[in-house]
Amino acid sequence: MFDLRDKNIIVTGGSRGIGKGIVEFLASHGANIGFSYSSSEAAAQQIAEELPGEGHFCFQMNIADADSVKSALAGALEKMGSVDGLVNNAGITKDQILLRLKPEDFDQVIQTNLRGTFLCVKTLLKPMIKQKNGAIVNITSVIGQTGNSGQANYAASKAGIEAFTKSIAQEVASRNIRLNCVAPGFIQTEMTDAMEDKAKQTISEKIPLGRLGQARDIAQSVAFLLSENASYITGQTISVNGGLNM
């Protein structure tokens, strides 16, 4: 269904949660994967070694730091030779109601999620423009569409990514480069596994399909947008949330 054979794809934040699911799914459909991690080298290296196929690798990168992004992505690009796709998945949360939200926590979330996406896209657009081909998928969130109490910084960062994506999609469409977003709802990850059953049940009851999503649900949409099946789609957001926001 998704032919990604011989496609060189870079994924940020690929060592756990949704990012790990994306990395594994893309590799299973033939892509050559380079993915970043922030701190746990051993865990990331194990994932890279267990991916189907050959030539996969991981690399450390701090997406909130311009020098780190420039250096890490230059190294990844040199290793791959070229880049066909980029998935911006890495991000953080610093949740708190506004009256208690520290300015530095607001800044850190914007710096990491929104500015980090900007840095990664800008860095890899140059080789994509040169080869006149490329696809970029930015992972946003249902929270960026609906807002959420205690997550003003996170919601703002994710809504900003959607607007950023539309703008850059218009700038580079003539170069055969596409940018789109995938907006997950509540997805079962290590974070949700740690929640109490009652809390998970409360969330599930709000979702029309009656369950949390799986990382694979997000990965399939990402693979579609990276593939030639989506060659006429750009500047769009696919919401994968079980009907939570219609």
Side-chain angles (χ1 to χ4, degrees), residues 156-179:
S157 72
K158 293 299 188 178
I161 292 172
E162 288 200 11
F164 171 80
T165 299
K166 292 178 182 179
S167 299
I168 309 307
Q170 293 179 43
E171 291 183 15
V172 299
S174 64
R175 303 299 182 94
N176 195 35
I177 299 169
R178 300 179 295 102
L179 287 89

Side-chain angles (χ1 to χ4, degrees), residues 170-216:
Q170 293 179 43
E171 291 183 15
V172 299
S174 64
R175 303 299 182 94
N176 195 35
I177 299 169
R178 300 179 295 102
L179 287 89
N180 294 286
C181 295
V182 173
F186 288 97
I187 306 301
Q188 186 174 342
T189 62
E190 295 94 332
M191 188 179 298
T192 57
D193 287 342
M195 295 170 60
E196 295 182 359
D197 290 340
K198 185 177 181 180
K200 286 190 281 190
Q201 182 179 349
T202 299
I203 292 172
S204 297
E205 288 173 352
K206 296 179 180 178
I207 301 172
L209 287 182
R211 61 177 176 83
L212 301 182
Q214 303 294 318
R216 183 183 178 88

Side-chain angles (χ1 to χ4, degrees), residues 88 112-123 161 164:
N88 284 301
T112 301
N113 298 359
L114 181 54
R115 185 171 180 269
T117 296
F118 153 74
L119 290 172
C120 292
V121 170
K122 184 175 182 180
T123 301
I161 292 172
F164 171 80

